[in-house]
């Protein structure tokens, strides 16, 4: 009936699945590619937003999780584990429920957004708050998966990258070819790796004729790839990308170099400014980490590093509802009125 079937069924011939793979899906993918008028005006380019907050659990992680959990189920796993800054755990928790598996999550204590914690809780996962950062959580999760019968579903699991590469397929399917530039926030660096793989596969014998330049942006306080060395105590308000030693570091550098792109940093101030611009001018509510891509695009354009007339896609990775504190903070409190049309009209400036 034309309904989107999830990334495994939509791209089955390009994914490592067989007829025996149990497809665990929530209908992920098929997300909007939104023309961004204000960003296009400001940059003189044709800018689109790939709105990944529209996925079932509100982030791009669902594309990878449908693959990782389907593989784990095919292998007979009864439990999965992940380290997370919040979105991976939200996604793993939901897909584990679909698969009838136990889900364990390791998160940095006090450093994940409330909405994401709520998702892991309501889906019944077993949550451990680790007295450390994301990098510590990942080390712990890897160790546990090596010693105990529990499948690791972080992006170091190749199935995750396979699933996430479908976002690049969707961009090409919509635009007719790859864009000139693709811009992403970078944390653990799985997603930039996945997009590059997807674009590469689509350019090898079609349907794409080329690959884009890959531009990645880390938060200034958590920018190990930019610095060229791990960051011991990463800090940023964009908690999703608060990562000091990315697992896919090498692959991200490979994508950067092979595509003639770059990986740069944006400050928290630039991130919040892009966050507010996306919401107030484009009508797209994202979580702060997602705005790093747009912040980076604007920073580069303002510095003269972006030629006009190019076609640019910015991935905005997660839904703003996950971390609404930043929407409320600093905004004026709504006015209270009686149940009275004249009073309401006056307050609205209509009368
Ligand atoms: N944006 C959001 C909203 C994220 O949640 C993440 C990563 C990224 C960007 C960066 O993507 O790690 O592939 O470079 N979140 C992971 C998590 C680390 O645990 O949810 P990446």
């Amino acid at each position: 009936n034309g309904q989107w079937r999830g990334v495994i069924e939509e791209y089955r011939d390009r994914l490592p699945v067989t007829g025996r793979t149990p497809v665990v899906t929530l209908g992920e993918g098929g997300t909007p590619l939104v023309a961004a008028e204000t960003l296009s005006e400001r940059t003189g380019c044709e800018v689109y937003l790939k709105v990944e907050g529209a996925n079932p659990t509100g982030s791009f992680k669902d594309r990878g999780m449908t693959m990782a959990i389907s593989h784990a189920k095919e292998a007979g796993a009864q439990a999965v584990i992940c380290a997370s800054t919040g979105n991976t755990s939200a996604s793993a928790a939901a897909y584990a429920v679909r698969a009838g598996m136990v889900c364990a999550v390791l998160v940095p204590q006090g450093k994940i957004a409330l909405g994401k914690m709520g998702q892991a809780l309501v889906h019944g996962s077993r949550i451990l708050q680790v007295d450390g950062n994301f990098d510590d959580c990942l080390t712990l999760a890897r160790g546990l998966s090596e010693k105990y019968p529990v499948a690791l579903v972080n992006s170091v699991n190749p199935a995750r990258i396979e699933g996430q590469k479908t976002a690049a397929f969707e961009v090409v399917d919509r635009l007719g070819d790859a864009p000139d530039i693709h811009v992403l926030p970078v944390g653990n660096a799985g997603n930039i790796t996945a997009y590059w793989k997807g674009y590469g596969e689509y350019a090898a014998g079609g349907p794409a004729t080329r690959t884009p330049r890959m531009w990645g942006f880390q938060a200034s306080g958590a920018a190990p790839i930019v610095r060229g060395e791990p960051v011991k105590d990463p800090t940023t308000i964009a908690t999703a990308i608060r990562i000091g030693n990315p697992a896919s570091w090498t692959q991200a550098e490979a994508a950067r170099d092979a595509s003639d792109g770059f990986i740069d940093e944006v400050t928290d101030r630039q991130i919040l400014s892009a966050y507010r611009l996306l919401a107030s001018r484009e009508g797209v509510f994202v979580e702060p980490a997602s705005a790093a891509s747009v912040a980076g695009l604007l920073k580069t354009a303002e510095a003269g590093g972006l030629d006009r007339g190019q076609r640019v896609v910015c991935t905005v990775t997660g839904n703003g509802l996950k971390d609404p504190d930043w929407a409320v903070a600093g905004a004026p409190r709504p006015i209270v009125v009686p149940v009275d049309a004249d009073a309401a009209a006056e307050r609205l400036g209509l009368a």
Side-chain angles (χ1 to χ4, degrees), residues 68 76 80 110 114 146 243 298 339:
V80 294
L114 181 61
E146 279 158 20
I243 293 174
L298 291 172
V339 188

Side-chain angles (χ1 to χ4, degrees), residues 254-344:
R256 174 196 68 191
D257 297 342
S259 75
D260 190 27
F262 63 81
I263 296 175
D264 193 9
E265 63 187 286
V266 283
T267 64
D268 282 359
R269 190 181 289 272
Q270 290 169 323
I271 289 173
L272 283 174
S273 159
Y275 166 86
R276 297 202 184 283
L277 179 128
L278 280 169
S280 65
R281 302 298 298 271
E282 301 291 2
V284 177
F285 184 27
V286 303
E287 64 168 288
S290 304
S293 56
V294 172
L297 179 73
L298 291 172
K299 173 190 171 178
T300 309
E302 279 156 25
L306 175 67
D307 293 339
R308 300 177 71 83
Q310 307 213 65
R311 194 177 248 192
V312 182
V313 175
C314 295
T315 297
V316 283
T317 44
N319 196 302
L321 294 170
K322 285 171 172 278
D323 193 4
D325 286 2
W326 290 103
V328 180
R333 294 262 299 271
I335 304 161
V336 179
V337 294
V339 188
D340 179 276
D342 291 337

Side-chain angles (χ1 to χ4, degrees), residues 159-177:
R160 280 276 312 277
I161 303 298
E162 291 295 324
Q164 285 173 212
K165 78 186 180 186
T166 59
F169 296 166
E170 289 177 20
V171 170
V172 174
D173 288 345
R174 257 294 306 282
L175 296 179
D177 205 340

Side-chain angles (χ1 to χ4, degrees), residues 13-28:
D13 55 334
R14 291 183 179 269
L15 291 170
V17 290
T18 70
R20 288 184 311 280
T21 310
V23 177
V24 182
T25 181
L26 285 163
E28 62 293 318

